[in-house]
Amino acid sequence: RYVRQLQRLQLLFSPTAADARGAREFVEEAAQDFARQHPDVVLYVSPRSGPGPAPVLRAEYLNGTVRDELIASKTSEEILQLATKLANQSGLDIIRIRKPFHTDNPSIQGQWHPLTNKPSILTVQGPRLQPQ
Amino acid sequence: LLLRAVRPLLAGAGLGTAPSTAPSTALSTAPPPEKKRWLRAYLELQRLQAPPQRRSEQPNWDYHAEIQAFSHRLQENFALDLLKTAFINPCYIESEEARRRQLGLDKDAVALQLQDNTGLAERGLRFARAYLAQCFEGAYPELPAKGIEALVNFLTGQELVSYVAENLSVQDLALCRDFPAPPDVLQRTFLAVVGALLESSGPERTGIFVRDFFIPQLIGKDLFEIWEVVNPMGLLLEELTKRNISAPEPRITRQLGVSTVLPVYFVGLYCDKKILAEGPGETLLAAEEEAARVALRKLYGYTENRRPWDYSKPKQGLAAEKAISSN
């Protein structure tokens, strides 16, 4: 069955800073709906007062990856889009895909090895049998 | 460190403008001074070298919300108090009582009103074993009891269950004495979760849960990786006598590089001059053994090209499941 890989989202922002305005609007308007639509993600909203680091959306996944996304000077809709994108991701590292194709069955009839199409040494090659 | 760089620019601007605009309240409303530049590297090093802590001891943790999210993540309806008991391990209760005794509380306060998960774990284990055995008997009717037992032991063994539990965030929710939780604790907790599901939703849903989380772990695994068979030839002879087929005759089918360091022999097993199985090996004995294993795989129906497991909704066998769960 499908198990959402996102465990929890932590929204760390400052209640007074200017670049956290989008985060504050998100918390006021869209955060509750997001939490209702994704009941398997725990959403923590932690405002930290005073000049701290930039507002960040921290996503923790089931395999232990923690991903921080800056939400400074983003609008509420953009933050919602970002949150849905994180919710649909798995926690695997985002690295360059070496090949855009993969197959679990690289060979249907079996990979060739020097002994395919070679008759076994037990095959008897004698004169053709006469039909009775 | 990247994140912190954004704010000092604003703080510097704030500090510069605040005293000019609000001279009377400058002392109280000015933002506190930033950490010194030379101190930041040391604090970062301290943060990176700090020992790993439980997730429950780090900031932003709500146990009740996490438990609810856990039940939604597995798409199951749990009775929450049963689920909470499922996460409580006996080592946690002992350590908590020892800690309370050390703090000097009296006997009534020391005794915790918490229940263990051992009962739930036992029930979960029994149900999981019975259900998996029934599944395998249905899917591989030719497989003997020992093979089924080996498969079930592998699936309910410590490594696999603790691996599944790790990837379902059970290690964050489980209450136990040591951190990180040892694999037997995780196994017990996950089986207790299965037991809790059994109590709250009944055997059918629990059966579907066990099927969805345990059986995919068999993908890509070969039968004889899981089931240790010492004498495959003897086992093959027994199977063939059961089916009234004559004893197999091993013959070399192909051979390559006989006089080299790495020879390859293909030995075929023939019953009544008809081929049963063929297997490769480095020496003649190894090739014969491999051929016997291939023949056993074919007989038991556990080849690599068998039909994949059927995960569709179960229609029949419900009565059998209820019978199993009642033992």
Side-chain angles (χ1 to χ4, degrees), chain B residues 169-183:
Chain B
S169 79
V170 166
Q171 85 278 17
D172 286 337
L173 294 166
L175 298 168
C176 73
R177 180 187 49 195
D178 319 302
F179 176 76

Side-chain angles (χ1 to χ4, degrees), chain A residues 1-4 7-8 10 17 19 39-40 42 44 46 51-52 55 60 62 70 115 118 120-122, chain B residues 3 7 31 34 55 60-62 66 69 73-76 167 169 172 209 212 251-254 266 270:
Chain A
R1 65 185 64 177
Y2 174 63
V3 172
R4 193 183 291 279
Q7 253 189 316
R8 55 189 82 90
Q10 296 179 34
D19 53 358
D40 39 10
V42 191
Y44 293 99
S46 51
E60 284 174 46
L62 286 182
L70 275 182
L115 292 170
K118 234 191 174 179
S120 90
I121 47 185
L122 299 176
Chain B
L3 306 174
R7 200 44 59 88
E34 280 283 329
R55 184 64 186 83
N60 279 334
W61 175 260
D62 183 5
E66 294 279 344
R73 201 177 294 138
L74 302 177
Q75 293 171 20
E76 295 286 349
N167 288 61
S169 79
D172 286 337
F209 180 87
D212 282 344
R251 296 281 188 108
I252 304 177
T253 331
R254 308 156 210 275
F266 271 76
Y270 288 85

